[in-house]
Amino acid sequence: MEILRIHVVLSDCITVEGHAQRVVMLPFTGTCEGSLFTGSILPGGVDTQRIEADGRCALSARYALAGTDCEGRACRLFIENMAVTSPGAEALTRPCIRTDSPALRWLETADLTGRIETADGHIDIVLYSEDTPHRKRIALRRGGLTLHACLEKKVDGPCPLVLMLHGFGGRMDVGGGFMQEWSDALTQAGMATLRMDFNGHGESEGRFRDMTPYNEIEDAATLLQYAMTLPDVTDIFVLGHSQGGVIAGMLSGYYHDVVKKLVMLVPAASLKTDAQQGTCMGVKYDPKKVPESVLIGEKQVGGLYFRMAQTLPIYEVTAHFRGPAMAVIAGQDGVVATESIRRYGAYMPSCRMVEKPTLNHGLAGAEHDEIVREVVDFLRHA
């Protein structure tokens, strides 16, 4: 998404032919017009370029603008664009913004990209971001992989944060879909949400066939550890769907001293008995001689996944969580055995069982809005 487009007017350049590098300083002025900010570059803006003999260039542009923000308030922006470019390659910069505008404060932590566009003799500095005032994209590292996540918050100040974990083959659904719908319901109720794509899923790195229950727990723990560093978080709740519900429960068991509330939406606890019986979503294999991989739909699932699933201590670990918990059972599930969800109640006396006869595994059905309200109320109220 385009954030700012700044129309640049160059002044006379200053060149110094050094022994090791050529240095070019380009003073400039200009204007900016857009939905977020309208204003002009203040005197003193300059683009400094240090050019090597082979054409490589390290550039840094620093400038300040004065104008009005999207709420019509007078404000100032300081922008620094930095990049190292090679001959023939597009100059992409990593901008940094500082501002005194409360409405534009989110730009200070947004993930920004800048590029220079030239047309009809005009030069524009254009800044882009996938972030919005209420949504921030995040990249985390775990085990040599980059895991992509999304933080959403619509209220100012301290609030609870809900860690959201998708199911087998799912994704965090930024911009629309199952997880976005649940995030919207939670953020509208005054909570923040933090969700991710597990390794091998969505935007995150890794191969799907290398995904296992344990490395998904490691992914989720990495996300939780990040959440623990965030300011203005009063409590951390965990919500997971299907296999993500199993991971949510076990994560909460491991971090029982950090997580305050737990919601498991149709948790796929029967994945253990399925693995012991040699079946996964209708596909059969020999559980006593697990193959190197099994084709489930269009995805190869590694044999290690099933070997781990056969002995996964789902209930034993989850039972270490003693706080308020909710497990949702869908009457029309067809994927997860109902008795495997009810078994959570035997291990967790504080776990509230909620059964909705009309819902399927994706929680679609006549009681969909009702279960969303019940979960939101459960998390929102003490």
Side-chain angles (χ1 to χ4, degrees):
M1 180 176 70
E2 184 175 306
I3 300 298
L4 296 172
R5 179 175 289 267
I6 302 161
H7 310 293
V8 173
V9 178
L10 294 175
S11 304
D12 294 335
C13 71
I14 301 167
T15 302
V16 176
E17 296 290 348
H19 294 287
Q21 296 174 324
R22 180 162 58 98
V23 180
V24 178
M25 298 180 67
L26 299 167
F28 59 89
T29 59
T31 60
C32 178
E33 295 180 4
S35 59
L36 291 180
F37 174 85
T38 299
S40 301
I41 298 175
L42 294 169
V46 63
D47 178 7
T48 302
Q49 302 179 4
R50 294 183 289 111
I51 305 168
E52 304 286 348
D54 62 4
R56 288 179 298 145
C57 176
L59 64 86
S60 174
R62 296 180 177 90
Y63 49 103
L65 302 96
T68 55
D69 63 18
C70 53
E71 295 181 349
R73 297 178 181 175
C75 69
R76 290 190 173 192
L77 303 179
F78 168 79
I79 300 177
E80 180 175 18
N81 268 327
M82 301 184 70
V84 176
T85 66
S86 299
E90 182 181 15
L92 293 178
T93 65
R94 300 299 296 175
C96 171
I97 293 179
R98 297 292 181 263
T99 180
D100 56 4
S101 165
L104 302 182
R105 178 182 176 182
W106 65 276
L107 291 175
E108 295 195 349
T109 57
D111 185 14
L112 302 171
T113 301
R115 64 165 45 96
I116 298 172
E117 297 184 2
T118 304
D120 299 325
H122 299 288
I123 298 175
D124 287 352
I125 300 172
V126 189
L127 306 188
Y128 299 89
S129 180
E130 293 186 21
D131 295 344
T132 71
H134 304 301
R135 177 185 296 158
K136 178 172 176 57
R137 302 298 292 267
I138 298 156
L140 302 172
R141 296 288 293 175
R142 199 278 303 163
L145 301 175
T146 297
L147 305 174
H148 289 276
C150 177
L151 173 67
E152 294 198 67
K153 183 181 180 184
K154 295 177 182 176
V155 297
D156 294 326
C159 69
L161 180 143
V162 184
L163 216 68
M164 301 178 64
L165 306 176
H166 67 71
F168 181 97
R171 58 190 305 157
M172 60 179 168
D173 294 331
V174 176
F178 180 87
M179 298 296 281
Q180 184 66 63
E181 179 190 5
W182 278 89
S183 178
D184 289 344
L186 295 164
T187 54
Q188 290 288 355
M191 291 171 271
T193 64
L194 179 62
R195 62 194 195 270
M196 72 183 307
D197 285 331
F198 283 115
N199 72 92
H201 293 71
E203 299 174 21
S204 290
E205 293 181 348
R207 299 190 308 170
F208 187 83
R209 67 180 297 162
D210 295 332
M211 173 270 301
T212 69
Y214 283 113
N215 64 35
E216 284 205 346
I217 292 172
E218 289 185 279
D219 291 348
T222 300
L223 192 67
L224 176 60
Q225 289 159 10
Y226 173 79
M228 293 166 64
T229 70
L230 295 173
D232 292 340
V233 173
T234 57
D235 292 301
I236 295 177
F237 308 147
V238 180
L239 176 148
H241 172 249
S242 191
Q243 180 168 293
V246 172
I247 304 302
M250 295 183 70
L251 178 73
S252 299
Y254 288 128
Y255 284 87
H256 54 84
D257 55 333
V258 175
V259 176
K260 299 301 181 183
K261 290 185 181 181
L262 167 65
V263 174
M264 297 175 289
L265 303 174
V266 289
S270 53
L271 67 84
K272 180 175 181 176
T273 53
D274 286 348
Q276 292 170 341
Q277 295 168 7
T279 181
C280 181
M281 299 185 182
V283 177
K284 303 288 187 179
Y285 59 91
D286 185 351
K288 296 182 179 179
K289 191 177 181 181
V290 178
E292 183 178 346
S293 67
V294 177
L295 182 63
I296 307 296
E298 298 180 352
K299 295 181 180 292
Q300 290 285 348
V301 182
L304 183 59
Y305 171 91
F306 301 107
R307 294 177 187 276
M308 288 183 173
Q310 288 177 352
T311 58
L312 196 64
I314 295 174
Y315 306 104
E316 295 84 351
V317 172
T318 306
H320 285 282
F321 179 74
R322 303 289 183 175
M326 174 190 287
V328 176
I329 299 169
Q332 305 300 315
D333 196 311
V335 175
V336 176
T338 298
E339 52 272 22
S340 71
I341 302 178
R342 289 204 177 99
R343 194 176 174 191
Y344 278 106
Y347 281 80
M348 304 169 67
S350 63
C351 185
R352 172 184 168 193
M353 294 289 157
V354 178
E355 187 162 0
K356 298 297 179 183
T358 69
L359 299 185
N360 62 19
H361 189 66
L363 300 181
E367 297 162 291
H368 173 75
D369 292 346
E370 181 179 304
I371 192 58
V372 172
R373 285 195 301 270
E374 287 188 34
V375 169
V376 169
D377 288 343
F378 170 75
L379 292 175
R380 182 171 50 181
H381 300 302

